[in-house]
Amino acid sequence: MSSELTTAEQAALTSGGDFWHTTPVERAGIPAVTVTDGPHGVRMQASSGDLLAGVPATCFPPAVASASTWDPELLRRMGEALGDECRAQDVAVLLGPGVNIKRSPLGGRNFEYFSEDPILTGVLATEWVRGLQSRGVGASLKHFAVNSQETDRMRVSADIDERTLREIYLRAFQRVVIKSQPWTVMCAYNKVNGVYASEHHWLLTEVLRDEWGFEGLVVSDWGAVVDRVKSVAAGLDLTMPGPDAEGDAALVDAVDAGRLDAALLKTSAERVRKLIEKAGARPAGGYDAEAHHALAREIAGRAIVLLKNDDDLLPLPADGITVGVLGEFARTPRYQGGGSSQITPTRLDDALTEITATATGPVRFAAGYTADGDTDEALLAEAVEIARHSDVAIVFVGSVHETEGADRDSLDLPAAQIALIERVAAVNPRTVVVLSNGAVITTKPWDEKVPALLEGWLLGQAGGSALADVLFGRVNPSGRLAETIPVKLAHHPSYLDFPGEHGHVRYGEGLHVGYRGFDAQDREVAYPFGFGLSYTTFSYGAARASVTATGVEIRVRVTNTGSRDGREVVQAYVSLPGSRVRRAPRELKAFANVPVAAGETVEAVLTIDRDDLAYWDTRLGRWLVEGGEYLVAVGSSSRDPRATVTVHIAGDPARIPLTAESSVGEWFADQRGAEVLGKAFASATAGAASDSPIAAMTADPEMLMMLGSLPLSRMAKFPGSPLRAEALDGLVADANS
Ligand code: BGC
């Protein structure tokens, strides 16, 4: 059988056969393969009627939670387990991870994304992809790119400057592509600066393939393709879902009419064929559902962030106390968000059952509010009564709806839940609040009334047992915030420009996303990026930094000064005082997640890649490491530096070419430019009378300062200018020679 495909077969291969399969080409012996969501479980559609009902699979913690572990090793293990479940279901590609940056806490899909920081996102996603692909199953890095909102997601144009795009929104994609070569990248629905991501040649071909060396296949988000011909021309290989006979025919016509280069369609079809061949090599397999549930529990336990723990109220003793468990979410857990990532779990733990199983004393429950999160006076009164007569009250509250397709409109808890917290705290000073939410919610001012607060995110199917593990101290919390919790929404850097209107959203805060913006504006936050308490305490020694061939290595000794074993997440934030370009006050560049036994000291080693020190220079159109004395603050959160060290970094050779449009100041700031221009001024002045305008201009230092902002071309036009327009080309050539 010929393996040379006809144009029609090539076109068919580049669109799906149905919702979840590629198109088989029987004549050429090419079978169909299955792709499915993703990212925190394997969502195999169970019946043709219901898109969202899946075959039971382990619902691991969604990315909002797994990212809060700050543990790449755990993410790798999660990827491996997902790979095993894919094999068991004959899935070739799992549609994840989602590495879009959490630009606004209102983002409806924030629960599916890792962080507001590109390095944290990139490091974790890289390991997830490595784990998955180690099982012979492909990842789909999504949604490429700048898909940080749900409002008008299929049409909106993310209007963004290139430096912000490169440094914040593309950086995680770049890292994952370079370090783990995902089999596929999924293009986003939205436009980027006016062009659909699915038709964006610069993104899909020039950046992704030519610059980053991506070798895999670009698949569309489901329904993202508007015009097949434009998409293939831009570098999109596989349009999903299918079938799309009309689009296939349009491709054939375009090739026949010479409107589309036949080689492009052929290349795309070959990429699809290669993916199918690769997938065919994976062995079938099964998986141990109990072991995966245990892994889901381990990750969930490590994801919980202890935000507050006055007087060491937590952990609770299992014996000798009466416990009031209050809030419907203790019984009916919120454990994942809605939309394409929704998993039918193999089983589901709830906190009420797990707390009851752990505590030896009486545990009493009241729902406190309705299943929809609304107020019900009788339920509230019952909860308050139980709280009044319990040694400890644990209040479960959280967000009610979080789903793909819609952004949130508020960060606040429903009023019924705030009322429950406040009324319970008023009668029981030993009140613990447990939050379940897929993106941050505001905690001010009610958190001041409670001594203990756990951020429990959406924790997947084992969240209930993981919460009991932390509440009773079987697990010492080590989760850290991967996103800032603001005092209020209006403080957030994205606030004024989210979610845009009339088809455009302006990324107005630029580089200052998340903590970068809070820090730049010196704004108080409720809980900072990187923050999280432990049941033990850690002290830091001095930090040492050394420049290596590939970057910087930081070493710091961390001592567990408490009486419980624990984990510290050591974070390195870098700044360059006196930088020649605008920068955030500090940026996360590396972290290390280290277990430290009680009373022990370990040396944490953090590695910063030199590439991660680079900024995107818009004048040169490339990454540039600026030379200088970099300040590295090593600490326990973005606002808790424990040790600082300065390291000298040699800069990349770079010179901004001078032009006639460069200003006098820019000419003088450049060594060669200063020589050339200085000479030109001197010779003009030499021939001029001492009271001429030329002499006055160049002799007076203040006048020279004022002239600093004048482009040379404009200066040449001034009457009596020391520069003549005809001389400019020569000066420019001379300065750049
Ligand atoms: C989502 C993707 C998902 C795809 C397939 C889209 O609506 O944006 O993340 O992978 O559907 O379900």
Side-chain angles (χ1 to χ4, degrees):
M1 209 179 290
S2 158
S3 65
E4 194 62 39
L5 299 176
T6 64
T7 309
E9 286 169 341
Q10 289 169 6
L13 205 52
T14 61
S15 64
D18 61 22
F19 230 91
W20 304 117
H21 297 92
T22 58
T23 300
V25 182
E26 276 158 29
R27 191 197 58 80
I30 303 174
V33 295
T34 307
V35 302
T36 200
D37 290 302
H40 55 266
V42 181
R43 186 176 67 86
M44 277 288 280
Q45 194 181 324
S47 71
S48 55
D50 187 346
L51 268 182
L52 290 185
V55 172
T58 311
C59 179
F60 287 97
V64 61
S66 62
S68 302
T69 67
W70 288 60
D71 189 344
E73 153 80 12
L74 269 184
L75 272 285
R76 191 182 46 69
R77 285 168 57 204
M78 178 170 158
E80 289 166 358
L82 287 167
D84 289 340
E85 295 201 21
C86 283
R87 277 184 183 180
Q89 306 257 28
D90 197 21
V91 170
V93 174
L94 188 66
L95 303 175
V99 296
N100 295 103
I101 293 297
K102 300 186 197 202
R103 175 177 176 236
S104 162
L106 294 174
R109 269 183 114 168
N110 281 10
F111 68 90
E112 271 189 77
Y113 300 142
F114 291 97
S115 174
E116 65 191 24
D117 181 86
I119 301 275
L120 180 59
T121 299
V123 168
L124 297 176
T126 295
E127 289 309 311
W128 187 99
V129 171
R130 283 181 177 152
L132 180 81
Q133 296 195 164
S134 74
R135 299 306 204 251
V137 175
S140 195
L141 190 66
K142 67 190 190 184
H143 309 87
F144 191 57
V146 212
N147 185 183
S148 290
Q149 70 181 53
E150 294 302 281
T151 305
D152 201 16
R153 68 172 171 158
M154 297 192 86
R155 299 180 307 187
V156 72
S157 171
D159 296 340
I160 184 170
D161 67 275
E162 188 174 358
R163 184 168 170 210
T164 303
L165 179 62
R166 296 277 193 166
E167 289 187 29
I168 305 286
Y169 294 92
L170 295 186
R171 208 167 200 155
F173 284 100
Q174 178 174 8
R175 183 181 207 98
V176 180
V177 165
I178 291 175
K179 298 206 184 245
S180 67
Q181 277 294 346
W183 290 12
T184 76
V185 166
M186 184 191 291
C187 82
Y189 284 132
N190 52 284
K191 300 181 189 118
V192 179
N193 291 331
V195 179
Y196 279 112
S198 62
E199 296 175 3
H200 215 299
H201 187 268
W202 180 80
L203 262 184
L204 302 186
T205 298
E206 293 164 50
V207 172
L208 181 63
R209 294 191 188 280
D210 301 347
E211 286 184 29
W212 301 348
F214 177 61
E215 292 163 5
L217 165 157
V218 177
V219 58
S220 72
D221 197 345
W222 268 231
V225 171
V226 181
D227 179 326
R228 288 278 296 287
V229 177
K230 283 189 184 165
S231 286
V232 170
L236 184 125
D237 304 303
L238 175 61
T239 292
M240 288 300 286
D244 178 23
E246 209 179 299
D248 296 350
L251 283 174
V252 174
D253 284 353
V255 168
D256 289 349
R259 280 181 286 111
L260 176 69
D261 182 352
L264 291 176
L265 178 60
K266 187 171 177 200
T267 304
S268 284
E270 280 310 318
R271 289 189 187 125
V272 179
R273 187 212 294 249
K274 208 168 127 195
L275 177 94
I276 294 168
E277 277 168 14
K278 228 164 144 179
R282 79 187 180 287
Y287 73 97
D288 177 347
E290 282 310 302
H292 284 194
H293 185 78
L295 177 61
R297 179 174 178 168
E298 183 184 347
I299 300 170
R302 296 275 303 281
I304 295 164
V305 184
L306 178 62
L307 293 177
K308 192 172 178 192
N309 194 21
D310 291 353
D311 302 323
D312 293 335
L313 174 56
L314 295 175
L316 302 173
D319 305 321
I321 56 165
T322 55
V323 182
V325 176
L326 313 165
E328 182 59 44
F329 293 159
R331 178 171 63 179
T332 315
R334 293 261 312 127
Y335 64 101
Q336 64 178 334
S340 62
S341 68
Q342 213 169 304
I343 301 298
T344 303
T346 56
R347 57 186 256 208
L348 182 59
D349 296 347
D350 67 86
L352 177 58
T353 305
E354 302 298 327
I355 291 169
T356 309
T358 306
T360 58
V363 173
R364 294 210 293 150
F365 169 76
Y369 48 84
T370 67
D372 295 332
D374 292 336
T375 309
D376 179 313
E377 282 305 329
L379 294 179
L380 180 57
E382 186 193 358
V384 173
E385 269 322 287
I386 290 178
R388 196 191 303 279
H389 299 108
S390 300
D391 294 323
V392 173
I394 314 177
V395 184
F396 286 81
V397 291
S399 58
V400 181
H401 298 295
E402 268 158 299
T403 181
E404 175 179 340
D407 291 319
R408 297 189 298 164
D409 53 14
S410 163
L411 299 187
D412 299 334
L413 281 175
Q417 301 188 13
I418 297 179
L420 176 66
I421 296 170
E422 292 183 335
R423 294 270 300 275
V424 166
V427 299
N428 191 325
R430 290 159 59 84
T431 294
V432 182
V433 172
V434 177
L435 297 174
S436 298
N437 46 292
V440 294
I441 53 173
T442 44
T443 60
K444 298 289 171 202
W446 54 258
D447 63 351
E448 280 145 32
K449 300 180 182 152
V450 297
L453 176 59
L454 282 178
E455 175 53 89
W457 308 121
L458 302 179
L459 289 171
Q461 69 178 44
S465 44
L467 282 166
D469 289 341
V470 168
L471 286 166
F472 291 96
R474 288 188 294 257
V475 168
N476 184 354
S478 59
R480 298 306 175 89
L481 294 180
E483 52 203 290
T484 308
I485 305 185
V487 171
K488 54 163 129 165
L489 175 61
H491 284 179
H492 202 275
S494 63
Y495 178 67
L496 295 177
D497 281 313
F498 184 93
E501 60 184 355
H502 308 151
H504 288 269
V505 52
R506 204 169 68 92
Y507 280 48
E509 71 284 12
L511 296 169
H512 294 105
V513 177
Y515 68 90
R516 290 167 165 80
F518 287 104
D519 289 350
Q521 295 181 74
D522 203 8
R523 200 152 249 172
E524 191 195 336
V525 299
Y527 299 96
F529 178 80
F531 176 78
L533 299 170
S534 163
Y535 295 152
T536 187
T537 46
F538 299 96
S539 73
Y540 283 57
R544 285 171 297 134
S546 49
V547 176
T548 64
T550 53
V552 181
E553 190 181 82
I554 318 248
R555 287 174 179 268
V556 63
R557 286 164 71 78
V558 177
T559 303
N560 182 336
T561 49
S563 55
R564 272 172 190 271
D565 296 351
R567 301 186 80 95
E568 175 68 337
V569 180
V570 182
Q571 303 157 41
Y573 294 88
V574 170
S575 42
L576 179 58
S579 169
R580 290 193 299 271
V581 292
R582 278 190 79 95
R583 292 176 188 253
R586 64 191 67 87
E587 294 186 287
L588 180 77
K589 294 297 177 192
F591 59 94
N593 193 315
V594 287
V596 195
E600 300 283 304
T601 297
V602 299
E603 185 173 61
V605 182
L606 289 77
T607 311
I608 299 178
D609 286 353
R610 182 178 164 91
D611 289 348
D612 289 333
L613 293 175
Y615 74 92
W616 182 261
D617 192 290
T618 48
R619 299 160 302 178
L620 294 168
R622 68 173 163 90
W623 292 102
L624 189 73
V625 176
E626 187 180 352
E629 306 300 315
Y630 284 72
L631 191 70
V632 185
V634 182
S636 200
S637 85
S638 60
R639 293 208 170 168
D640 186 9
R642 301 288 185 87
T644 53
V645 57
T646 299
V647 59
H648 176 79
I649 303 289
D652 289 339
R655 178 165 179 263
I656 313 298
L658 291 167
T659 68
E661 287 313 299
S662 305
S663 69
V664 172
E666 286 160 357
W667 275 74
F668 275 115
D670 181 275
Q671 201 184 345
R672 177 78 188 137
E675 262 170 43
V676 172
L677 196 59
K679 240 193 258 161
F681 279 2
S683 71
T685 323
S690 60
D691 60 349
S692 72
I694 301 171
M697 262 169 139
T698 49
D700 176 356
E702 281 185 0
M703 182 67 112
L704 266 181
M705 269 168 75
M706 193 187 84
L707 295 178
S709 64
L710 212 60
L712 247 51
S713 61
R714 240 67 67 75
M715 187 182 196
K717 291 200 171 116
F718 277 93
S721 167
L723 296 177
R724 285 170 305 110
E726 316 81 76
L728 291 183
D729 285 350
L731 291 180
V732 169
D734 208 3
N736 293 323
S737 64

